[in-house]
Every structure is written in structure tokens, then in C-alpha cells.
């Protein structure tokens, strides 16, 4: 494993084949995406019984709902009759049951088969044998996460994510479970998902590629000092470092919501976590939060979903303006998409050989790729 990205004392990205091979991509879908907790959404999307949404989680279309017992459940969006999707991916609403639009088979909020026209329960088959396929589902500080593989192989979600949090006490103070999604954007990017992963794991490119970030973001805060003594003097690293005098992450450093999160109006407050290698994670400031999530579509297409959060009691146009709320991250997401597509076009060349990465400005790339290779058992 180490020989793939470590050589001559430095580390590189992966060999070209990992970014262009259909076979590698299929292995990632079949093995990798079923061996990691994947983000599905936020509890604010299913506050009440019967609330549901459907979305792509990894390679699978899923239905996430809250059942009559107040449990959040995640079902594969596949009718047990002949496989039609029950809900168009990307839809949301409130339901008492899910009815297949093809042959009208119906299912309860707990996934039980309730009806199959022309075949009363027990006549042709036993309804108990044909519930919706269910995925293991759990929550972490308001986020809903799904395990697509064998539930017996799933590690604890809390034990998986807690070590990723930069400051657990700060995250608990924010109270992410008391937020709601104020806006969501979806970006389909013509690049292999691992190029987006690497991009999101470094800010080496930020100064030259993201002028909108310059007003509030302290790029150097993402860099790792070479000298251990300097590292000690730098103090605890914020999850998302802001420039001196900036209150929050916005175009001008001013608050974007008049209603603070649970921590109150604390300037330069940031906490969060990142789960890799299938990149997903939120960052919370004192007045709002942002969650980025990558979904591989095919070997050279990746879907980036970005959600912006405000306090659950915040009122649009009264407490926050969507355009101001999403400003910096939306522009940055577009710029990152263009950079990743540019990267993919170069990687497609047979002359591409990965070069040395910076140990101080790109160290998290190495950590993320090592997790990727461990997850895949280097099968690719």
C-alpha cells in the first residue's frame, strides 16, 4: 500500500489508473462505498412522522423517513415486485405509505408490504417475506448516516466520527440537531471523485484559485508548520480558520444570520469534522453551518451536494438572506468544480505521472488516500 503513494522520501497522489479506469470505479462502488458510513441528510428533513426524502447515497437511491415509532429509517428505493423506484430521487414530503407507481404495491413507513393488487396477503405469497430492503441508519449531531453494506460489519457511527471532530465540546455547544437546512445546491462535476477528495483536503490552491475566500479565510491556518516548536506556539487549530477581525465565514466577515446557533454570537468560532475517503463533513460557525458531500456518479463524474444550515427558528428574509448565506461557499464550489475538471483533463493524458505533494500544505491528502487504500485493500 505505502509503495503506491510513498517513494524517495515524499508522497504522491495515486497512479493514473485510479482516476480513469472503469474497473477501479466498479470496485469502489461494490466494495468501498459499502464499507463506509455515508451521509444521507439531516434530521430537520424528517422532523415529523411520515416525513421523508429520497436521494442518492453512494451508488444507491434511498428513501429516508421517520416511522410511527419515531425511528428514522433508510430503505433502498426499490419495489420488491419488479424493481421500480418508489419515489423519484430528489423528492421529499410527507407520506402515510409508499406506493409503487408501476403496479401499486404499497409499503408502510416501517417498510412492511401492505398491499399487492390482485394478491391478498397469504393467497399467492406471504407479505411478511417481501418488505423493502433496509439499510442500517444512525444519527450524529443532527446528521443522518447510512451503512449500505452488511450491518454486522458496521463500526459504531459515533466511534467513527468523534475522532474526526476538531473540538467535541464546541460541536456540542453549537447543537447541530437544532438547525435546519436553509438552502441546498447540487453540482455535477466532470472529474473523478478522488480528484475532488484531494482538492477538498488541501488549501495549497486557495490563494491563487479562490479570490472570494481571501476576505475572510486565513489560508495559512490550514498549513502544517515544519517546526515542532512553531506548531506548539500556534495553539489549537480551528476547523476553518478565519482572518483576524472576521466574525463568520461570509463575503465580508459579517454575520449572515441574525439568529445564532447554540454557541451564541462568538466571533471566529468554527468547529466540525470530515469523514474520508468518500468526503463528507460539516463546518459550523456561530451563526450558520455548511455541509459538503461527494457522491461518485461514474469514473469521471462526481456530484457535490452542499447544504447550508441556520438555527431551526430562523426565518428567511427576516433573520437571513439566502444569497448572502451561500455567497462564499457557492462561488468556491463552482471554482473547485472547474479546477477538478481541469485536473481530470490533464490526468487523462497517458503522460500523467503524479508528482511530489507538499508535506506542509497537502498532508491530509496522504492521510485520506491511505484510508482509501486500506478501505479498498488495494484491490484496485
Amino acid at each position: 500500500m505505502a509503495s503506491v503513494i510513498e517513494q524517495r522520501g515524499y508522497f504522491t497522489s495515486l497512479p493514473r489508473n485510479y482516476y480513469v479506469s472503469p474497473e477501479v470505479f466498479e470496485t469502489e462502488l461494490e466494495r468501498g462505498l459499502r464499507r463506509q458510513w455515508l451521509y444521507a441528510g439531516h434530521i430537520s428533513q424528517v422532523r415529523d412522522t411520515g416525513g421523508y426524502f429520497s436521494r442518492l447515497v453512494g451508488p444507491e437511491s434511498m428513501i429516508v423517513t421517520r416511522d410511527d415509532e419515531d425511528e428514522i429509517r433508510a430503505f433502498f428505493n426499490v419495489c420488491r415486485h419488479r424493481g421500480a423506484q418508489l419515489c423519484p430521487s430528489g423528492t421529499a414530503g410527507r407520506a402515510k405509505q409508499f406506493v409503487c407507481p408501476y403496479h401499486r404495491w404499497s409499503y408502510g413507513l416501517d417498510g412492511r408490504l401492505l398491499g399487492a393488487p390482485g394478491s391478498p396477503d397469504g393467497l399467492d405469497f406471504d407479505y411478511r417475506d417481501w418488505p423493502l430492503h433496509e439499510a442500517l441508519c444512525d444519527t450524529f449531531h443532527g446528521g443522518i448516516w447510512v451503512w449500505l453494506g452488511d450491518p454486522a460489519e458496521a463500526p459504531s457511527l459515533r466511534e467513527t466520527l468523534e475522532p474526526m471532530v476538531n473540538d467535541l465540546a464546541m460541536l456540542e455547544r453549537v447543537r447541530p440537531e437544532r438547525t435546519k437546512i436553509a438552502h441546498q445546491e447540487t453540482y455535477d462535476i466532470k472529474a473523478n471523485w478522488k480528484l475532488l477528495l484531494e482538492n477538498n483536503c488541501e488549501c495549497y490552491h486557495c490563494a491563487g484559485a479562490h479570490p472570494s475566500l481571501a476576505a475572510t479565510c486565513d489560508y495559512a491556518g490550514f498549513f502544517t508548520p515544519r517546526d515542532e516548536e512553531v506548531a506548539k506556539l500556534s495553539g489549537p487549530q480551528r476547523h476553518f480558520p478565519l482572518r483576524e477581525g472576521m466574525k463568520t465565514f461570509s463575503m465580508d466577515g459579517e454575520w449572515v444570520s441574525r439568529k445564532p446557533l447554540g454557541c451564541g454570537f462568538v466571533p471566529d468560532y468554527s468547529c466540525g469534522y470530515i469523514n474520508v475517503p468518500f468526503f463528507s463533513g460539516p463546518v459550523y460557525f456561530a451563526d450558520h453551518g455548511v455541509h459538503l458531500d461527494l457522491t461518485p456518479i461514474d469514473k469521471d463524474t462526481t456530484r457535490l451536494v452542499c447544504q447550508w444550515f441556520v438555527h431551526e427558528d430562523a426565518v428567511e428574509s427576516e433573520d437571513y438572506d439566502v444569497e448572502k448565506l451561500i455567497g462564499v461557499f457557492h462561488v468556491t464550489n463552482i471554482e473547485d468544480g472547474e479546477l477538478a475538471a481541469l485536473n481530470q483533463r490533464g490526468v487523462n493524458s497517458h503522460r500523467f505521472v503524479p508528482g511530489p505533494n507538499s508535506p506542509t500544505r497537502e498532508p491530509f491528502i496522504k492521510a485520506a488516500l491511505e484510508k482509501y487504500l486500506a478501505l479498498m485493500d488495494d484491490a484496485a
Side-chain angles (χ1 to χ4, degrees), residues 141 176 230 243 286 345 354:
H141 290 285
V230 175
R243 292 190 183 280
R345 291 195 292 273

Side-chain angles (χ1 to χ4, degrees), residues 155-218:
S156 160
L157 176 63
R158 179 166 293 277
E159 291 176 3
T160 298
L161 296 182
E162 275 193 353
M164 310 294 179
V165 179
N166 70 305
D167 189 317
L168 190 58
M170 287 179 69
L171 182 63
E172 290 172 344
R173 190 177 171 196
V174 165
R175 302 188 71 185
E177 66 279 2
R178 297 292 303 276
T179 66
K180 66 180 179 182
I181 297 174
H183 188 73
Q184 176 173 303
E185 287 282 344
T186 300
Y187 314 83
D188 284 342
I189 300 165
K190 294 304 293 181
N192 184 275
W193 69 272
K194 293 184 292 301
L195 296 179
L196 270 298
L197 165 68
E198 294 171 15
N199 177 83
N200 288 356
C201 286
E202 52 93 353
C203 209
Y204 189 14
H205 69 285
C206 291
H210 296 314
S212 297
L213 281 172
T216 51
C217 181
D218 175 16

Side-chain angles (χ1 to χ4, degrees), residues 228-250:
E228 291 185 7
E229 293 305 314
V230 175
K232 290 177 184 177
L233 293 172
S234 65
Q237 183 174 343
R238 293 157 293 170
H239 188 70
F240 201 99
L242 299 179
R243 292 190 183 280
E244 186 176 353
M246 299 295 105
K247 297 175 183 175
T248 190
F249 188 59
S250 62

Side-chain angles (χ1 to χ4, degrees), residues 237-305:
Q237 183 174 343
R238 293 157 293 170
H239 188 70
F240 201 99
L242 299 179
R243 292 190 183 280
E244 186 176 353
M246 299 295 105
K247 297 175 183 175
T248 190
F249 188 59
S250 62
M251 285 291 193
D252 57 7
E254 293 296 321
W255 304 118
V256 294
S257 176
R258 295 185 180 89
K259 191 172 289 293
L261 304 186
C263 57
F265 280 125
V266 181
D268 192 18
Y269 190 101
S270 68
C271 59
Y273 57 92
I274 295 173
N275 195 29
V276 293
F278 297 95
F279 187 98
S280 184
V283 55
Y284 294 97
F285 306 97
D287 61 335
H288 74 291
V290 184
H291 193 121
L292 294 172
D293 183 67
L294 295 181
T295 298
I297 302 298
D298 56 45
K299 68 178 179 63
D300 48 19
T301 308
T302 305
R303 178 164 296 166
L304 169 63
V305 176

Side-chain angles (χ1 to χ4, degrees), residues 59-123:
E60 299 286 355
S61 177
M62 304 295 296
I63 299 172
V64 178
T65 189
R66 187 180 290 271
D67 68 15
D68 292 318
E69 303 299 319
D70 204 35
E71 293 292 323
I72 297 177
R73 314 280 288 267
F75 300 104
F76 290 84
N77 191 8
V78 180
C79 181
R80 296 302 309 277
H81 178 217
R82 280 166 53 189
Q85 285 195 339
L86 301 172
C87 306
S89 197
T91 58
R94 190 96 176 266
K96 293 183 178 179
Q97 60 183 13
F98 299 105
V99 181
C100 178
Y102 197 177
H103 297 98
R104 312 305 294 177
W105 281 34
S106 58
Y107 304 86
L109 298 176
D110 58 0
R112 290 181 302 121
L113 177 61
L114 300 179
S119 295
D121 189 11
L123 178 63

Side-chain angles (χ1 to χ4, degrees), residues 345-364:
R345 291 195 292 273
V347 168
N348 287 342
S349 169
H350 286 274
R351 296 305 298 270
F352 168 68
V353 177
N357 285 320
S358 169
T360 59
R361 301 193 175 198
E362 300 169 292
F364 196 39

